[in-house]
Every structure is written in structure tokens, then in C-alpha cells.
């Protein structure tokens, strides 16, 4: 008897099971064959994602720098760039060319760019509330570098990293008292060439210096004049002070090396020996001023280190991680003067 095989003839259960088994085996075989490929695709995809994650900056920092008005400022910028590289920080650095409006615009760009942290060195203390409120509302922490702001509002910034300018002024005043004693001076007429009006270093260096000499009746400040931390303005100020007071000047207290280095040629042009006929006191401690100190044409240079980059990067990482930070971070600073063997002062690096 011939069994007709009909296409759709119902199979018996054994045949069905065999068919099912064959189908499973084929599926398993196929899977095994393509599994390495699947694994490779996932691996490559994962590596690419990991690579993307590796290349993504660990921290995106927006920094608005005042300008490049002095060796100090240039050294500060260089140190921040060097430390950003060391700390694997992606740095968006903008130079404001001495204009507050440029700093405000830069901060707004950082907010729009959604940086992790904003840092800036405020050229003056006032006028930051609105833009800093925008940063706060955007949830971006702000670090003040070098200088401070004046505000009635709470919580606009996380911390300030910079010198204790008041202490720098006190150190300058205390040096002058020691110098006047050593020269048995019974009259000390002082002219002051200040930094940028309403900037933190100007306000606090002046306050510290005046407080330090306040109790000494020999001391008289003939005039204070704004040199804006610039070498050219330092020369102009010194010319004007020499015309007005000439021989009557015993001391020049200058808020930074640039203005001091601008003033010295004017003093010599007028026939005086800086460092001998007039006591010269400066602040910053850059290489040029230290070289002139070693020549005896400046008597005292109070250090104001521009090397704030490491503290800035460490603080930025802590803020990004949501960790607490100190509200004020002051670097250690010293005084260089003719009271010591200046030949031992090591290279300054700025
Ligand atoms: C001080 C800094 C001052 C320097 C100047 O920290 O703000 O600004 O003393 C610079 O040289 O221009």
C-alpha cells in the first residue's frame, strides 16, 4: 500500500518533535555563529562610548581674566593655564582687556555654554550682582580669583582665592617704620601711587598700610594718586608728584611693581637716587622688581603671588563634586627688602 504524502498531511507527533528539534538546533547554531559578531558590535559600541566619555572634559571651567596689564597678571594667567592642563581641566579663558563689561559678557557666555564652574578676577568690587544671580539661577558655582566683590546679596559666589591684600599693606607699613627707625628719621613724608580705584588690592593695601603707620607721628601721607596698576600711569603719577612736592618726598609707596618701574626713571630724571634719596616700597614681587631691589633702587617688595592655579583647580573639582570649600583661601606671602641678603632671592617665575 502506497502512503500518499500530502503536503499538508498532518504529521505524527514524532515527526513534529523531530522538526522542532531541527529548528531549535539550527537556531542555536546560527546564534553561535553570529554571537561573536554581536559581541564585537557591542564591544566596539561600548568602547566608542567609553572613548567618548574618556574624551569628554572631566571639568569645563570658564575663566574671565582682567587683562594683561602687568607681569603679575601675565604670570597669573600662565599659571592658571598650566594648572588646568595638569588637572585635566578644559579651560575657556577670556581676556577682558581691563573692561568690566567684557567680564560680564564673558560670564554670560559661560552660562550659555553650561560650564561646570565659572571663575573670574573682578576688576572692581561693584556691579556684579545681576550677572552672578544669573549664574546662581543656572546652578553654576562661581569662584573669585585674586580679587573680591562687594555685594549685599548672599550666596552669589562660593569662595575667593587670593592674597590677603590688607596684610600686604600692613607689611609695607611695618617695613617703613623699621626703615625710618634705622635711618633715625624724625619726619617721613609719603606719596602713594594706588592701584585701580575700587579694586580689592587697592582698597585693602591702602587700608593695611595706613593702619600700620597710623600710630607713628613721624608719618605724613602728602598725596594718594591712582596709577591703575599700569606702568605708564605710574610714570605720569610720579612726574606730577615730583612737580608738586619734589624735595619734600621721603617715601614712594606704590601698589604694584609695574607702577614702581614706571616711576623710577622719573625720579632719576628729576635728579634723585631712588632707594637712597627716597625710600621705594612696592608690591607684587615679580622678577623685574626683585632685580631692581638687588640693585638698591627699590628698598622693599612685598610678595603677592600670582600662582593661584592649583587652588583654583582643586576648588573647582570640589564644587563640581558637590563638596564643601573654604570661603576664603589665602596663599602664604613674604617681604623682600634691603634688610636681607637679596642675592639669595631665588628666580620668581613671573
Ligand atoms: C593683585 C592683583 C594686582 C597686582 C597688579 O592680586 O590683583 O593686579 O598687584 C595687577 O600687578 O594688575
Amino acid at each position: 500500500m502506497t502512503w500518499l504524502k500530502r503536503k499538508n498531511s498532518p504529521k505524527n507527533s514524532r515527526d513534529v518533535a523531530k522538526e522542532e528539534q531541527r529548528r531549535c538546533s539550527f537556531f542555536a547554531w546560527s546564534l553561535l555563529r553570529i554571537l561573536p559578531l554581536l559581541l564585537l558590535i557591542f564591544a566596539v559600541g561600548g568602547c566608542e562610548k567609553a572613548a567618548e566619555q574618556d574624551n569628554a572634559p572631566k571639568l569645563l571651567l570658564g575663566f574671565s581674566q582682567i587683562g594683561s596689564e602687568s607681569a603679575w597678571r601675565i604670570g597669573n594667567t600662565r599659571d592658571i593655564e598650566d594648572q588646568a592642563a595638569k588637572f585635566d581641566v578644559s579651560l575657556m579663558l577670556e581676556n577682558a582687556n581691563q573692561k568690566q563689561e567684557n567680564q560680564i559678557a564673558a560670564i554670560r557666555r559661560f552660562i550659555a555654554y553650561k560650564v561646570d564652574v565659572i571663575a573670574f578676577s573682578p576688576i572692581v568690587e561693584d556691579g556684579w550682582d545681576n550677572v552672578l544671580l544669573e549664574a546662581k539661577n543656572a546652578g553654576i558655582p562661581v569662584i573669585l580669583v585674586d580679587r573680591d566683590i562687594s555685594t549685599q546679596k548672599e550666596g552669589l559666589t562660593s569662595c575667593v582665592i587670593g592674597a590677603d591684600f590688607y596684610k600686604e599693606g600692613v607689611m609695607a607699613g611695618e617695613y617703613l617704620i623699621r626703615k625710618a627707625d634705622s635711618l633715625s628719621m624724625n619726619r617721613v613724608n609719603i606719596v602713594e601711587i594706588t592701584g585701580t580705584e575700587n579694586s580689592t588690592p587697592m582698597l585693602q593695601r591702602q587700608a593695611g598700610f595706613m593702619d600700620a603707620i597710623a600710630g607713628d607721628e613721624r608719618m605724613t601721607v602728602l598725596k594718594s594718586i591712582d596709577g591703575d596698576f599700569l606702568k605708564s600711569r605710574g610714570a605720569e603719577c610720579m612726574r606730577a608728584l615730583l612737580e608738586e612736592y619734589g624735595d619734600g618726598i621721603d617715601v614712594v609707596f606704590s601698589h604694584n611693581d609695574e607702577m614702581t618701574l614706571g616711576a623710577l626713571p622719573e625720579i632719576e630724571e628729576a635728579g634723585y637716587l631712588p632707594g637712597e634719596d627716597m625710600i621705594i616700597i612696592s608690591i607684587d614681587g615679580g622678577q623685574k622688581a626683585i632685580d631692581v631691589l638687588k640693585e638698591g633702587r627699590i628698598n622693599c617688595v612685598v610678595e603677592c603671588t600670582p600662582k593661584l592655579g592649583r587652588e583654583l583647580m582643586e576648588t573647582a573639582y570640589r564644587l563640581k563634586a558637590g563638596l564643601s570649600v573654604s570661603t576664603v583661601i589665602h596663599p602664604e606671602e613674604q617681604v623682600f627688602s634691603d634688610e636681607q641678603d637679596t642675592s639669595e632671592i631665588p628666580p620668581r617665575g613671573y
Side-chain angles (χ1 to χ4, degrees):
M1 180 176 179
T2 306
W3 291 87
L4 288 179
K5 294 252 178 216
R6 280 190 289 182
K7 277 188 183 168
N8 302 327
S9 60
K11 292 177 179 130
N12 62 41
S13 56
R14 202 151 43 85
D15 287 351
V16 170
K18 257 172 127 181
E19 181 71 15
E20 196 54 30
Q21 194 183 18
R22 258 203 305 278
R23 213 177 278 127
C24 288
S25 316
F26 178 74
F27 176 73
W29 174 81
S30 310
L31 194 62
L32 283 173
R33 294 240 340 154
I34 64 170
L35 190 61
L37 181 62
L38 288 175
L39 289 174
L40 183 65
I41 290 167
F42 279 121
V44 168
C47 290
E48 279 174 356
K49 188 154 179 49
E52 271 169 33
Q53 281 166 355
D54 280 351
N55 292 335
K58 292 195 175 71
L59 189 146
L60 182 56
L61 173 65
F63 180 67
S64 168
Q65 180 59 290
I66 288 177
S68 38
E69 75 282 1
S70 64
W72 189 98
R73 186 65 54 198
I74 292 164
N76 178 242
T77 300
R78 188 168 55 233
D79 182 66
I80 286 170
E81 289 172 328
D82 292 349
Q83 292 300 323
K86 273 189 192 148
F87 279 77
D88 200 10
V89 166
S90 182
L91 180 67
M92 289 173 70
L93 186 143
E94 294 209 22
N95 184 319
N97 295 314
Q98 316 305 120
K99 290 184 170 52
Q100 180 175 28
E101 59 268 27
N102 291 348
Q103 290 197 286
I104 291 170
I107 292 170
R108 288 200 164 109
R109 278 192 289 278
F110 297 151
I111 294 168
Y113 209 82
K114 295 185 172 50
V115 298
D116 295 307
V117 178
I118 291 171
F120 74 111
S121 179
I123 187 166
V124 291
E125 293 204 344
D126 298 315
W128 304 100
D129 285 3
N130 293 340
V131 73
L132 292 181
L133 204 52
E134 292 167 30
K136 183 177 181 180
N137 293 338
I140 301 175
V142 176
I143 299 172
L144 295 172
V145 176
D146 170 32
R147 301 186 181 179
D148 206 343
I149 61 169
S150 168
T151 179
Q152 301 306 315
K153 290 189 167 50
E154 294 290 318
L156 292 182
T157 60
S158 301
C159 78
V160 56
I161 301 171
D164 182 343
F165 301 119
Y166 180 85
K167 187 178 170 189
E168 290 172 354
V170 168
M171 290 194 283
E174 288 174 346
Y175 164 81
L176 179 56
I177 290 168
R178 294 195 304 271
K179 185 68 178 178
D181 292 346
S182 71
L183 297 175
S184 307
M185 295 172 77
N186 50 33
R187 180 209 73 178
V188 183
N189 286 339
I190 305 158
V191 293
E192 181 189 29
I193 305 177
T194 76
T196 308
E197 194 176 356
N198 194 31
S199 69
T200 313
M202 176 265 163
L203 293 168
Q204 294 189 14
R205 283 171 181 166
Q206 184 174 71
F209 181 79
M210 299 305 174
D211 288 352
I213 66 171
D216 190 323
E217 290 175 0
R218 298 172 293 178
M219 307 285 170
T220 304
V221 178
L222 300 174
K223 190 163 194 176
S224 290
I225 188 167
D226 181 359
D228 205 17
F229 286 130
L230 298 173
K231 185 172 185 176
S232 56
R233 284 285 297 129
E236 288 165 23
C237 293
M238 196 66 235
R239 242 188 334 270
L241 291 165
L242 286 162
E243 280 162 20
E244 188 169 357
Y245 298 102
D247 270 338
I249 299 172
D250 300 313
V251 180
V252 178
F253 170 48
S254 165
H255 285 193
N256 87 327
D257 296 344
E258 297 306 310
M259 298 188 298
T260 306
L261 295 169
L264 294 185
E266 300 301 326
I267 294 169
E268 288 158 337
E269 188 73 25
Y272 301 100
L273 292 175
E276 291 182 34
D277 300 333
M278 290 181 193
I279 297 166
I280 310 295
I281 301 173
S282 187
I283 302 179
D284 271 353
Q287 192 58 54
K288 283 184 185 163
I290 296 299
D291 291 346
V292 174
L293 171 72
K294 292 181 179 183
E295 294 166 3
R297 295 164 62 227
I298 292 178
N299 303 92
C300 171
V301 182
V302 177
E303 180 185 31
C304 176
T305 180
K307 296 174 182 171
L308 306 172
R310 182 174 55 80
E311 291 83 0
L312 170 58
M313 303 307 153
E314 289 170 347
T315 304
Y317 269 112
R318 287 187 63 84
L319 288 170
K320 180 177 182 183
L323 300 173
S324 64
V325 297
S326 310
T327 50
V328 179
I329 300 172
H330 284 325
E332 283 300 313
E333 295 178 324
Q334 58 187 309
V335 180
F336 301 108
S337 79
D338 51 13
E339 298 166 305
Q340 71 192 88
D341 177 359
T342 56
S343 64
E344 291 177 359
I345 301 173
R348 300 290 301 145
Y350 62 98

